[in-house]
Amino acid sequence: MEMLDITKIRTDYPILDRKIYGRPLVYLDNTATSQTPDIVVNSIVNGYTSTKANVHRGVHTLSMEATELQESARRKVREFINAPSAEEIIFTRGTTEAINLVAASYGGAFLKDGDEIILSVMEHHSNIVPWQLLQRSTDIKIRVIPILPDGSLDMDAYRKLLNERTRIVSICHASNVLGTVNPVKEIITEAHAREIPVLIDGAQAAPHIKIDVQDIDADFYAFSAHKMYGPAGVGVLYGKRTLLEKMPPYQGGGEMIESVSFEKTTFAELPYKFEAGTPDFIGIAALHKAIDYMENIGIEAIARHEHELLEYTSRRMAEEIPDLRIYGTAPGKCAIISFLVNGEHHYDMGMLLDKLGIAVRTGHHCAQPLMQHLGVEGVVRASFAVYNTREECDLFIDALKRVAQMLR
Ligand code: PMP
């Protein structure tokens, strides 16, 4: 098994040389957003300095080049998640917009009073609130799959929730707090046995797990570029053609029409029907570079490295930090450690860690229902990416010991 040259990988990220309060930055907030390698940043700079023109409208050279960059990114994303066709890849602003699109368009058109949808207690707000917005117009019921003490999904409870009123299941591939990787293939198989479509929120899976939407047979799959070494403001919704074709547009505007008159407007073919307005075509081209970057290193190699750091750090924390509580210990979890020490406030810990150069996330992590379930207001979260090192884990643990002592 080949070891990654992390020292070399780190040279792709000038930001990692920053000092925070005079100390080396230890960036462990990768679940919120990962850093961006030079190759992706350069793609954005080139997009603005060399090929900027609006896509799809022009016959001039720049416009055709910009269009080709966007469409080749679409083909790349298709390959990345093994979607059957590029027309099933819709560019959005991120996971949040992708889920809102499905809730508004699919939910708005096909869910009726009395219908039920199934979510899980570990969902991010972006996979809860769009469905609640739908409840303003339709009397649908949200049913919630609970979790087991280790943070894994209660599959027995899930099976019991599925019934003849269930119209959609929407669930994360991996939890941004617990790190739990859900058995999405099994979840989808169970739903499909009742002809219920499934949306997978892949925001936390795309950076670490090889995705194959055909293998898991997802009906919809959403993810964000900024969590996978790509730019902010770009995301992807994959949807099965049969579903996308019968769904009404989500937003109206340019790009998404075939013809417009005040009497009657007809809509463009997929995927443009769902891409109203000028997209972030420069960010989309940069996403292409981010996928190339991940594939050059190897997604399995990235995940292996992150898991080593996860295991090393979790073990040292358990051995060396008294009164530590880790939230989420499901087997095979992603490289995310959510924790509290001695009941100290997450915010105090995060602020003091920052003074020692350590960037971790604190708070409810946009998962307040999960926090309520765990009986906490918030947690501290350390999460890893390909450029993190064992030395950084040591700095983190040393800092954590100091902070825990200061607060005691
Ligand atoms: N789902 C999960 C599981 C997430 O972790 C996040 C981001 N924290 C989102 C959805 C939302 O992603 P975005 O803000 O990029 O739309």
Side-chain angles (χ1 to χ4, degrees), residues 31-32 93-97 99 122-127 172-177 201-204 223-227 234 365-366 381:
T31 296
R93 281 193 301 117
T95 307
T96 302
E97 190 180 39
I99 299 174
M122 68 175 89
E123 297 314 308
H124 189 277
H125 294 164
S126 63
N127 192 23
C172 61
H173 196 158
S175 156
N176 65 315
V177 176
D201 166 359
Q204 294 303 337
F223 57 97
S224 300
H226 70 95
K227 293 182 194 288
V234 175
H365 309 278
C366 298
R381 180 184 70 192

